[in-house]
Amino acid sequence: MAPNDNVRVDGLRSPVYFDAVPFVLVAVLLVLTGCSGPFPQSVFAPRSDFATELDGLFWNVFWWAVAVFVIVETLLIVAIVRFRARPGAGAPKPVHGHTLLEIGWTLAPALILVFIAVPTMRSVFATAGHAPEGALRVEVIGHQWWWEYRYPTLGISAYNELHLPVKTPILVEMTSGDVIHSFWAPGLGGKRDLIQGRTSRIAFRPDSTGEFLGQCAEFCGASHANMRLRVIVESDSVFQRWIDRQRGAPATPAQGSPEERGQQIYRRSACIGCHTITGVSSAKVGPDLSHVGSRSTIAGALFPNTTESLQRWIQNAPALKPGALMPPQNLSGEDLDALVAYLQSLK
């Protein structure tokens, strides 16, 4: 008996396919695991006209692929079963040339390609970045590793969290301040690369309110995976209130308060050399902090904007986000608490 023969105890050969059962079970478990959720960055939950267009194109191509797969695999199985070798049976009679078959397998793929190509070209033109008249224009600048948003017609800016009004056409114009980045918010639209010196465009109309997660989709350095983004789609009234807050100057700390002490610490620390706070500093290296207290996240939308997160970030940003340009701040516990209180008051 050969050492690799698969033989049962009773001397009968066991089917080889029993050996594959564990591997099949593992594969099924992996597939089922991939079907779990939730998926906050799923492309299968479109919330804009752009994303809906892409979703429809995907399913169109997917079902054509399924149909081709089923037909091909069915014919293959039929051929294997019908023309398999049998003891005592002669070889199947070969057939040379079949005009109808040759015409069929030439025309069928051509027609399938047409049914795929036409919707694809339509989607290409529909998502080319052309916005209707009166669209809200937003300029996006990618930095290592955070996002800057400018609203030229509104005269305001935002950082890491992009606020948009619902059911309003949006034109996003994107470029990079350093290396190549890629803006991707799956629920609202496709990816667009950001290249220094060039402008990429994407146009869409959000159809529902909510918070949509995204991230940079082009490797851009040590903290590429930490370059997150949030798109917050709001009703017109909520969006207008947000605009009014961004246009206003941050509140002046009360005399003798911890916030005032924190402002003094900010003025004499390294922070003032990189960040802008209206009426206090005007540096442009890092994100503007004039309204940092009203943001839900910090550090490029990576951490929640809590007291603990702010303290850890100020103490040693590179330890939390590799490659971060912000140097560790050597502050005492009291000074750190006062500085955090001041930053949280900037709304």
Side-chain angles (χ1 to χ4, degrees):
M1 181 178 67
N4 292 329
D5 283 348
N6 191 1
V7 179
R8 295 203 304 263
V9 176
D10 58 8
L12 299 176
R13 186 183 301 274
S14 63
V16 175
Y17 56 74
F18 281 129
D19 293 342
V21 169
F23 299 101
V24 172
L25 290 176
V26 170
V28 171
L29 288 174
L30 287 175
V31 171
L32 293 177
T33 301
C35 293
S36 62
F39 301 108
Q41 293 185 198
S42 173
V43 296
F44 299 114
R47 292 294 181 269
S48 74
D49 53 352
F50 187 110
T52 300
E53 180 71 31
L54 294 187
D55 185 67
L57 177 62
F58 169 83
W59 287 112
N60 177 65
V61 176
F62 174 80
W63 289 118
W64 276 114
V66 168
V68 171
F69 175 83
V70 170
I71 293 172
V72 171
E73 294 305 314
T74 299
L75 293 175
L76 179 62
I77 293 172
V78 168
I80 291 174
V81 172
R82 183 174 178 182
F83 302 107
R84 73 186 186 277
R86 296 182 177 89
K93 181 182 178 181
V95 177
H96 297 284
H98 195 295
T99 303
L100 289 179
L101 278 178
E102 291 178 0
I103 293 175
W105 66 49
T106 300
L107 289 180
L111 289 174
I112 292 173
L113 289 177
V114 170
F115 293 143
I116 291 176
V118 171
T120 299
M121 294 306 298
R122 185 194 65 192
S123 296
V124 167
F125 287 109
T127 59
H130 303 297
E133 191 72 24
L136 175 62
R137 184 164 148 254
V138 182
E139 296 176 353
V140 177
I141 303 174
H143 302 273
Q144 289 180 308
W145 289 271
W146 53 280
W147 302 95
E148 179 180 0
Y149 306 116
R150 299 175 182 173
Y151 300 75
T153 58
L154 302 178
I156 59 174
S157 298
Y159 301 83
N160 299 314
E161 296 176 354
L162 176 61
H163 289 252
L164 300 173
V166 71
K167 299 188 184 303
T168 298
I170 309 295
L171 174 61
V172 182
E173 299 179 330
M174 296 164 280
T175 189
S176 172
D178 38 56
V179 300
I180 298 176
H181 300 282
S182 184
F183 185 89
W184 185 42
L188 298 175
K191 302 173 185 175
R192 286 291 188 272
D193 283 350
L194 283 66
I195 302 173
Q196 192 174 35
R198 295 183 59 184
T199 299
S200 303
R201 293 175 176 82
I202 186 170
F204 58 89
R205 185 194 302 262
D207 60 27
S208 57
T209 60
E211 187 173 291
F212 304 94
L213 303 184
Q215 65 185 70
C216 177
E218 184 75 36
F219 181 71
C220 55
S223 272
H224 160 66
N226 297 323
M227 191 172 176
R228 316 287 178 82
L229 63 92
R230 290 172 183 260
V231 182
I232 302 169
V233 181
E234 304 161 319
S235 64
D236 290 342
S237 58
V238 175
F239 181 67
Q240 185 59 51
R241 288 198 296 270
W242 176 80
I243 293 173
D244 294 339
R245 289 196 303 269
Q246 299 304 305
R247 286 174 173 169
T252 302
Q255 189 172 3
S257 65
E259 289 79 8
E260 184 190 40
R261 184 165 179 267
Q263 186 186 70
Q264 295 170 355
I265 294 167
Y266 174 86
R267 289 179 182 274
R268 65 172 184 262
S269 70
C271 307
I272 199 170
C274 295
H275 297 283
T276 291
I277 294 180
T278 304
V280 179
S281 60
S282 58
K284 299 292 185 181
V285 178
D288 190 312
L289 301 180
S290 298
H291 302 94
V292 66
S294 63
R295 299 171 197 159
S296 60
T297 58
I298 60 170
L302 184 58
F303 302 113
N305 191 0
T306 63
T307 300
E308 180 183 1
S309 295
L310 270 172
Q311 289 176 339
R312 293 174 59 213
W313 180 252
I314 293 170
Q315 285 176 314
N316 195 349
L320 302 177
K321 195 170 187 178
L325 298 179
M326 179 174 164
Q329 304 299 307
N330 187 21
L331 299 174
S332 67
E334 291 183 357
D335 287 352
L336 181 61
D337 290 342
L339 179 58
V340 169
Y342 171 58
L343 293 176
Q344 290 181 325
S345 72
L346 300 175
K347 299 180 179 181

